[in-house]
Amino acid sequence: MKILMNIVITELSLILVRLLGEMYEKYVEEDEMSILKKRLRRLSRRLTGKIDPAVITSIVREDREKH
């Protein structure tokens, strides 16, 4: 009986460790995405007014023509 309980506890521990690992990975991914979004917003604000809209329009047009 004691051996069986030890096996069950070990199995449950492994399941718990696996679940916690998955949750941690998801948290890290979400945190990294949040940081990247903030950096992109700051970059966007810094670039506003520094790039000629006509240049962007011509680049988009060229890209559409290629596809």
Coordinates of all heavy atoms in Angstrom, one line a residue:
M1 N 0.8 -1.2 0.0 CA 0.0 0.0 0.0 C 0.9 1.3 0.0 O 0.6 2.2 -0.7 CB -0.9 0.0 1.2 CG -1.9 1.1 1.3 SD -3.1 0.9 0.1 CE -4.3 2.1 0.6
K2 N 1.9 1.2 0.8 CA 2.8 2.4 0.9 C 3.5 2.7 -0.4 O 3.7 3.8 -0.8 CB 3.8 2.2 2.1 CG 4.5 3.4 2.5 CD 5.3 3.1 3.8 CE 5.9 4.4 4.3 NZ 6.7 4.1 5.5
I3 N 3.9 1.6 -1.1 CA 4.6 1.7 -2.4 C 3.7 2.3 -3.4 O 4.0 3.2 -4.2 CB 5.1 0.3 -2.8 CG1 6.3 -0.1 -1.9 CG2 5.7 0.4 -4.2 CD1 6.7 -1.5 -2.1
L4 N 2.4 1.8 -3.4 CA 1.4 2.3 -4.3 C 1.2 3.8 -4.1 O 1.1 4.6 -5.1 CB 0.1 1.5 -4.2 CG -1.0 1.9 -5.1 CD1 -0.6 1.7 -6.6 CD2 -2.3 1.1 -4.8
M5 N 1.1 4.2 -2.9 CA 0.9 5.7 -2.6 C 2.1 6.5 -3.0 O 1.9 7.6 -3.6 CB 0.6 5.9 -1.1 CG -0.7 5.4 -0.7 SD -1.2 5.9 1.0 CE -1.3 7.6 0.8
N6 N 3.3 6.0 -2.9 CA 4.5 6.7 -3.3 C 4.5 6.8 -4.8 O 4.8 7.9 -5.4 CB 5.8 6.0 -2.9 CG 6.1 6.2 -1.4 OD1 5.6 7.2 -0.8 ND2 6.8 5.3 -0.8
I7 N 4.0 5.8 -5.5 CA 3.9 5.8 -7.0 C 2.9 6.9 -7.4 O 3.2 7.7 -8.3 CB 3.6 4.5 -7.6 CG1 4.8 3.5 -7.4 CG2 3.2 4.5 -9.1 CD1 4.4 2.1 -7.7
V8 N 1.8 6.9 -6.8 CA 0.7 7.9 -7.1 C 1.2 9.3 -6.8 O 1.0 10.2 -7.7 CB -0.6 7.6 -6.3 CG1 -1.5 8.7 -6.4 CG2 -1.2 6.3 -6.7
I9 N 1.9 9.5 -5.7 CA 2.4 10.8 -5.4 C 3.4 11.3 -6.4 O 3.5 12.4 -6.9 CB 3.0 10.8 -3.9 CG1 1.8 10.7 -2.9 CG2 3.8 12.1 -3.7 CD1 2.3 10.5 -1.5
T10 N 4.3 10.3 -6.8 CA 5.3 10.6 -7.8 C 4.7 11.0 -9.1 O 5.1 12.0 -9.8 CB 6.3 9.4 -8.0 OG1 6.8 9.1 -6.8 CG2 7.3 9.7 -9.0
E11 N 3.7 10.2 -9.6 CA 3.0 10.5 -10.8 C 2.3 11.9 -10.8 O 2.4 12.7 -11.7 CB 1.9 9.4 -11.1 CG 2.5 8.1 -11.5 CD 3.2 8.1 -12.9 OE1 2.6 8.8 -13.8 OE2 4.2 7.5 -13.0
L12 N 1.6 12.2 -9.7 CA 1.0 13.5 -9.5 C 2.0 14.6 -9.5 O 1.7 15.7 -10.1 CB 0.1 13.5 -8.2 CG -1.1 12.6 -8.2 CD1 -1.8 12.7 -6.9 CD2 -2.1 13.1 -9.3
S13 N 3.1 14.4 -8.9 CA 4.2 15.4 -8.9 C 4.7 15.7 -10.3 O 4.9 16.8 -10.6 CB 5.3 14.9 -8.0 OG 4.9 14.8 -6.7
L14 N 4.9 14.6 -11.1 CA 5.3 14.8 -12.4 C 4.3 15.6 -13.3 O 4.6 16.5 -14.1 CB 5.6 13.5 -13.1 CG 6.8 12.7 -12.6 CD1 6.9 11.3 -13.2 CD2 8.1 13.5 -12.8
I15 N 3.0 15.3 -13.1 CA 2.0 16.0 -13.8 C 2.0 17.4 -13.4 O 1.9 18.3 -14.3 CB 0.6 15.3 -13.5 CG1 0.5 13.9 -14.2 CG2 -0.5 16.2 -14.0 CD1 -0.7 13.1 -13.7
L16 N 2.1 17.7 -12.1 CA 2.1 19.1 -11.6 C 3.3 19.9 -12.2 O 3.1 21.0 -12.6 CB 2.1 19.1 -10.1 CG 2.0 20.4 -9.4 CD1 0.8 21.2 -9.8 CD2 2.1 20.3 -7.9
V17 N 4.4 19.2 -12.2 CA 5.6 19.9 -12.7 C 5.5 20.2 -14.2 O 5.8 21.3 -14.6 CB 6.9 19.0 -12.5 CG1 8.1 19.5 -13.3 CG2 7.2 19.0 -11.0
R18 N 4.9 19.3 -14.9 CA 4.7 19.5 -16.3 C 3.7 20.7 -16.6 O 3.9 21.6 -17.4 CB 4.1 18.2 -17.0 CG 4.1 18.3 -18.5 CD 3.7 16.9 -19.1 NE 4.4 15.8 -18.6 CZ 3.8 14.7 -18.0 NH1 2.5 14.6 -17.9 NH2 4.6 13.7 -17.6
L19 N 2.6 20.7 -15.8 CA 1.6 21.8 -15.9 C 2.2 23.1 -15.5 O 2.0 24.1 -16.2 CB 0.4 21.5 -15.1 CG -0.5 20.4 -15.6 CD1 -1.6 20.1 -14.5 CD2 -1.2 20.7 -16.9
L20 N 3.0 23.1 -14.5 CA 3.6 24.4 -14.0 C 4.6 24.9 -15.1 O 4.7 26.1 -15.3 CB 4.3 24.2 -12.7 CG 3.3 24.1 -11.5 CD1 4.1 23.8 -10.2 CD2 2.5 25.4 -11.3
G21 N 5.3 24.0 -15.7 CA 6.3 24.3 -16.7 C 5.5 25.0 -17.9 O 6.0 26.0 -18.5
E22 N 4.4 24.4 -18.3 CA 3.7 24.9 -19.5 C 3.1 26.3 -19.1 O 3.1 27.2 -20.0 CB 2.5 23.9 -19.8 CG 3.0 22.7 -20.5 CD 1.9 21.7 -20.6 OE1 0.7 22.0 -20.4 OE2 2.2 20.5 -21.1
M23 N 2.6 26.4 -17.9 CA 2.1 27.7 -17.5 C 3.2 28.8 -17.5 O 3.0 29.9 -17.9 CB 1.4 27.6 -16.1 CG 0.1 26.8 -16.1 SD -0.5 26.5 -14.5 CE -0.8 28.2 -13.8
Y24 N 4.3 28.4 -17.0 CA 5.5 29.3 -17.0 C 5.9 29.8 -18.4 O 6.1 30.9 -18.6 CB 6.6 28.7 -16.2 CG 7.9 29.6 -16.2 CD1 7.9 30.7 -15.3 CD2 9.0 29.3 -17.0 CE1 9.0 31.5 -15.3 CE2 10.1 30.2 -17.0 CZ 10.1 31.2 -16.1 OH 11.2 32.0 -16.1
E25 N 6.0 28.8 -19.3 CA 6.3 29.1 -20.7 C 5.3 30.1 -21.3 O 5.7 31.1 -22.0 CB 6.4 27.9 -21.5 CG 7.6 27.0 -21.2 CD 7.6 25.7 -22.1 OE1 6.9 25.7 -23.1 OE2 8.4 24.8 -21.7
K26 N 4.0 29.9 -21.0 CA 3.0 30.8 -21.6 C 3.1 32.2 -21.0 O 3.0 33.1 -21.7 CB 1.6 30.2 -21.3 CG 0.5 31.0 -21.9 CD -0.8 30.4 -21.6 CE -1.9 31.2 -22.2 NZ -3.3 30.7 -21.9
Y27 N 3.4 32.2 -19.7 CA 3.6 33.5 -19.0 C 4.8 34.3 -19.6 O 4.7 35.5 -19.9 CB 3.8 33.3 -17.5 CG 4.3 34.6 -16.8 CD1 3.4 35.6 -16.5 CD2 5.6 34.7 -16.5 CE1 3.8 36.7 -15.9 CE2 6.0 35.9 -15.8 CZ 5.1 36.9 -15.5 OH 5.5 38.0 -14.9
V28 N 5.9 33.6 -19.8 CA 7.1 34.2 -20.4 C 6.8 34.7 -21.8 O 7.2 35.8 -22.2 CB 8.3 33.2 -20.4 CG1 9.4 33.7 -21.2 CG2 8.7 33.0 -18.9
E29 N 6.1 33.9 -22.6 CA 5.8 34.3 -24.0 C 4.9 35.6 -23.9 O 5.1 36.5 -24.7 CB 5.0 33.2 -24.7 CG 5.9 32.1 -25.2 CD 5.1 31.0 -25.9 OE1 3.9 31.3 -26.3 OE2 5.6 29.9 -26.0
E30 N 3.9 35.6 -23.1 CA 3.0 36.8 -23.0 C 3.8 38.0 -22.5 O 3.6 39.1 -23.0 CB 1.8 36.5 -22.1 CG 0.8 35.5 -22.6 CD -0.2 35.1 -21.7 OE1 -0.2 35.5 -20.5 OE2 -1.1 34.3 -22.0
D31 N 4.7 37.8 -21.6 CA 5.5 38.9 -21.0 C 6.4 39.5 -22.1 O 6.5 40.7 -22.3 CB 6.3 38.5 -19.8 CG 6.9 39.6 -19.1 OD1 6.2 40.6 -18.9 OD2 8.1 39.5 -18.7
E32 N 7.0 38.6 -22.9 CA 7.9 39.0 -24.0 C 7.1 39.7 -25.1 O 7.6 40.7 -25.6 CB 8.6 37.8 -24.6 CG 9.7 37.2 -23.7 CD 10.3 35.9 -24.2 OE1 9.8 35.4 -25.2 OE2 11.3 35.5 -23.7
M33 N 5.9 39.2 -25.4 CA 5.1 39.9 -26.4 C 4.7 41.3 -25.9 O 4.7 42.3 -26.7 CB 3.8 39.1 -26.7 CG 4.1 37.8 -27.4 SD 4.8 38.1 -29.1 CE 3.5 38.9 -29.9
S34 N 4.4 41.4 -24.6 CA 4.0 42.7 -24.0 C 5.2 43.7 -24.2 O 5.0 44.9 -24.5 CB 3.6 42.6 -22.6 OG 3.4 43.8 -22.0
I35 N 6.4 43.2 -23.9 CA 7.6 44.1 -24.0 C 7.8 44.5 -25.4 O 8.1 45.7 -25.7 CB 8.8 43.4 -23.4 CG1 8.7 43.2 -21.9 CG2 10.1 44.1 -23.8 CD1 9.7 42.3 -21.3
L36 N 7.6 43.6 -26.4 CA 7.8 43.9 -27.8 C 6.8 44.9 -28.3 O 7.1 45.8 -29.0 CB 7.7 42.6 -28.6 CG 8.9 41.7 -28.5 CD1 8.6 40.4 -29.3 CD2 10.2 42.4 -29.1
K37 N 5.5 44.8 -27.8 CA 4.5 45.7 -28.2 C 4.8 47.1 -27.7 O 4.7 48.1 -28.4 CB 3.1 45.3 -27.6 CG 2.5 44.1 -28.3 CD 1.2 43.7 -27.7 CE 0.6 42.5 -28.3 NZ -0.7 42.1 -27.7
K38 N 5.3 47.2 -26.5 CA 5.7 48.5 -25.9 C 6.8 49.1 -26.7 O 6.8 50.3 -27.1 CB 6.1 48.4 -24.5 CG 5.0 48.1 -23.5 CD 5.5 47.9 -22.1 CE 4.3 47.5 -21.2 NZ 4.8 47.1 -19.8
R39 N 7.8 48.3 -27.1 CA 8.9 48.8 -27.9 C 8.5 49.3 -29.3 O 8.9 50.3 -29.8 CB 10.0 47.7 -28.0 CG 10.8 47.5 -26.7 CD 11.8 46.4 -27.0 NE 12.6 46.2 -25.7 CZ 13.4 45.2 -25.6 NH1 13.6 44.3 -26.6 NH2 14.1 45.0 -24.5
L40 N 7.6 48.5 -29.9 CA 7.1 48.9 -31.2 C 6.3 50.2 -31.1 O 6.4 51.0 -32.0 CB 6.2 47.8 -31.8 CG 7.0 46.6 -32.4 CD1 6.0 45.5 -32.7 CD2 7.8 47.0 -33.6
R41 N 5.5 50.4 -30.1 CA 4.7 51.6 -29.9 C 5.7 52.8 -29.8 O 5.5 53.9 -30.4 CB 3.8 51.6 -28.7 CG 2.5 50.9 -28.9 CD 1.6 51.1 -27.8 NE 0.9 49.8 -27.6 CZ 1.0 49.0 -26.5 NH1 1.8 49.4 -25.5 NH2 0.4 47.9 -26.4
R42 N 6.7 52.6 -28.9 CA 7.7 53.7 -28.8 C 8.4 54.0 -30.1 O 8.6 55.2 -30.5 CB 8.7 53.4 -27.7 CG 8.2 53.6 -26.3 CD 9.3 53.4 -25.3 NE 9.7 52.0 -25.4 CZ 10.3 51.3 -24.5 NH1 10.7 51.9 -23.3 NH2 10.6 50.0 -24.6
L43 N 8.8 53.0 -30.8 CA 9.5 53.2 -32.1 C 8.5 53.9 -33.1 O 8.9 54.8 -33.8 CB 9.9 51.8 -32.7 CG 10.6 51.9 -34.0 CD1 11.9 52.7 -34.0 CD2 10.9 50.5 -34.5
S44 N 7.3 53.5 -33.1 CA 6.3 54.1 -34.0 C 6.1 55.6 -33.7 O 6.1 56.4 -34.6 CB 4.9 53.4 -33.8 OG 4.0 54.0 -34.6
R45 N 6.1 55.9 -32.4 CA 6.0 57.3 -32.0 C 7.2 58.1 -32.4 O 7.1 59.3 -32.9 CB 5.8 57.5 -30.5 CG 4.4 57.2 -30.0 CD 4.2 57.5 -28.6 NE 3.4 56.4 -28.0 CZ 3.8 55.7 -27.0 NH1 5.0 55.9 -26.4 NH2 3.1 54.7 -26.5
R46 N 8.4 57.5 -32.3 CA 9.6 58.2 -32.7 C 9.7 58.4 -34.2 O 10.3 59.4 -34.6 CB 10.9 57.4 -32.2 CG 11.1 57.6 -30.7 CD 12.4 57.1 -30.2 NE 13.2 56.3 -31.1 CZ 13.9 55.2 -30.8 NH1 14.0 54.9 -29.6 NH2 14.6 54.6 -31.7
L47 N 9.2 57.5 -34.9 CA 9.3 57.6 -36.4 C 8.2 58.4 -37.0 O 8.3 58.8 -38.2 CB 9.2 56.2 -37.0 CG 10.4 55.3 -36.7 CD1 10.2 53.9 -37.3 CD2 11.7 55.9 -37.3
T48 N 7.1 58.7 -36.2 CA 6.0 59.5 -36.8 C 6.6 60.9 -37.2 O 7.2 61.6 -36.5 CB 4.9 59.7 -35.7 OG1 4.5 58.5 -35.3 CG2 3.8 60.6 -36.2
G49 N 6.3 61.2 -38.5 CA 6.7 62.5 -39.0 C 8.1 62.5 -39.6 O 8.5 63.4 -40.3
K50 N 8.8 61.4 -39.4 CA 10.2 61.3 -39.9 C 10.2 60.5 -41.3 O 11.3 60.6 -42.0 CB 11.1 60.6 -38.9 CG 11.3 61.4 -37.7 CD 12.3 60.8 -36.7 CE 12.4 61.6 -35.5 NZ 13.4 61.1 -34.5
I51 N 9.2 59.8 -41.6 CA 9.1 59.1 -42.8 C 8.1 59.7 -43.7 O 7.0 60.0 -43.4 CB 8.8 57.6 -42.5 CG1 9.8 57.0 -41.6 CG2 8.6 56.8 -43.8 CD1 9.5 55.5 -41.2
D52 N 8.5 59.9 -45.0 CA 7.7 60.5 -46.0 C 6.6 59.5 -46.4 O 6.9 58.4 -46.8 CB 8.5 60.9 -47.2 CG 7.7 61.6 -48.3 OD1 6.6 62.0 -48.0 OD2 8.3 61.8 -49.3
P53 N 5.3 59.9 -46.2 CA 4.2 59.0 -46.6 C 4.3 58.6 -48.1 O 3.8 57.5 -48.4 CB 2.9 59.8 -46.3 CG 3.4 60.9 -45.4 CD 4.8 61.1 -45.6
A54 N 4.8 59.4 -48.9 CA 4.9 59.1 -50.4 C 5.8 57.9 -50.5 O 5.6 57.0 -51.4 CB 5.4 60.3 -51.2
V55 N 6.9 57.8 -49.8 CA 7.8 56.7 -49.8 C 7.2 55.4 -49.4 O 7.3 54.4 -50.1 CB 9.1 57.0 -49.0 CG1 10.0 55.8 -48.9 CG2 9.9 58.2 -49.5
I56 N 6.4 55.5 -48.3 CA 5.7 54.3 -47.9 C 4.7 53.9 -48.9 O 4.6 52.7 -49.2 CB 5.0 54.6 -46.5 CG1 6.0 54.8 -45.4 CG2 4.1 53.4 -46.1 CD1 5.5 55.3 -44.1
T57 N 4.0 54.8 -49.5 CA 3.0 54.5 -50.5 C 3.6 53.8 -51.7 O 3.1 52.8 -52.2 CB 2.3 55.8 -51.0 OG1 1.7 56.4 -49.9 CG2 1.2 55.4 -52.0
S58 N 4.8 54.3 -52.1 CA 5.5 53.7 -53.3 C 6.0 52.3 -53.0 O 5.9 51.4 -53.8 CB 6.6 54.6 -53.8 OG 7.6 54.6 -52.8
I59 N 6.4 52.1 -51.7 CA 6.9 50.8 -51.3 C 5.8 49.8 -51.3 O 5.9 48.6 -51.8 CB 7.6 50.8 -49.9 CG1 8.9 51.6 -50.0 CG2 7.9 49.4 -49.4 CD1 9.6 51.9 -48.7
V60 N 4.6 50.2 -50.7 CA 3.5 49.3 -50.7 C 3.0 49.0 -52.1 O 2.7 47.8 -52.4 CB 2.3 50.0 -49.8 CG1 1.0 49.2 -50.0 CG2 2.7 50.1 -48.4
R61 N 3.0 50.0 -52.9 CA 2.5 49.7 -54.3 C 3.4 48.8 -55.0 O 3.0 47.8 -55.7 CB 2.5 51.1 -55.0 CG 1.8 51.0 -56.4 CD 1.6 52.4 -57.0 NE 0.7 53.2 -56.2 CZ 0.9 54.4 -55.8 NH1 2.0 55.0 -56.1 NH2 0.0 55.1 -55.1
E62 N 4.7 48.9 -54.9 CA 5.7 48.0 -55.5 C 5.5 46.6 -55.0 O 5.5 45.6 -55.7 CB 7.1 48.4 -55.2 CG 7.6 49.6 -55.9 CD 9.0 50.1 -55.5 OE1 9.7 49.3 -54.9 OE2 9.3 51.3 -55.8
D63 N 5.3 46.5 -53.6 CA 5.1 45.1 -53.1 C 3.8 44.5 -53.6 O 3.8 43.3 -53.9 CB 5.0 45.3 -51.5 CG 4.9 43.9 -50.8 OD1 5.9 43.1 -51.0 OD2 3.9 43.6 -50.1
R64 N 2.8 45.2 -53.8 CA 1.5 44.7 -54.3 C 1.7 44.2 -55.7 O 1.1 43.2 -56.2 CB 0.4 45.7 -54.2 CG -0.1 45.9 -52.8 CD -1.3 46.8 -52.7 NE -1.7 47.0 -51.4 CZ -2.5 48.0 -51.0 NH1 -2.9 48.9 -51.8 NH2 -2.8 48.2 -49.7
E65 N 2.4 45.0 -56.5 CA 2.7 44.7 -57.9 C 3.5 43.4 -58.0 O 3.3 42.6 -59.0 CB 3.4 45.8 -58.6 CG 2.5 47.0 -58.8 CD 3.2 48.2 -59.4 OE1 4.5 48.1 -59.6 OE2 2.6 49.3 -59.6
K66 N 4.4 43.1 -57.1 CA 5.2 41.9 -57.1 C 4.3 40.7 -56.9 O 4.6 39.6 -57.4 CB 6.3 42.0 -56.1 CG 7.4 42.9 -56.5 CD 8.5 42.9 -55.5 CE 9.6 43.9 -55.8 NZ 10.6 44.0 -54.8
H67 N 3.3 40.8 -56.0 CA 2.5 39.7 -55.7 C 1.3 39.7 -56.5 O 0.5 39.1 -56.8 CB 2.1 39.7 -54.2 CG 3.3 39.7 -53.3 ND1 4.0 38.6 -53.0 CD2 3.9 40.7 -52.6 CE1 5.0 38.8 -52.2 NE2 5.0 40.1 -51.9

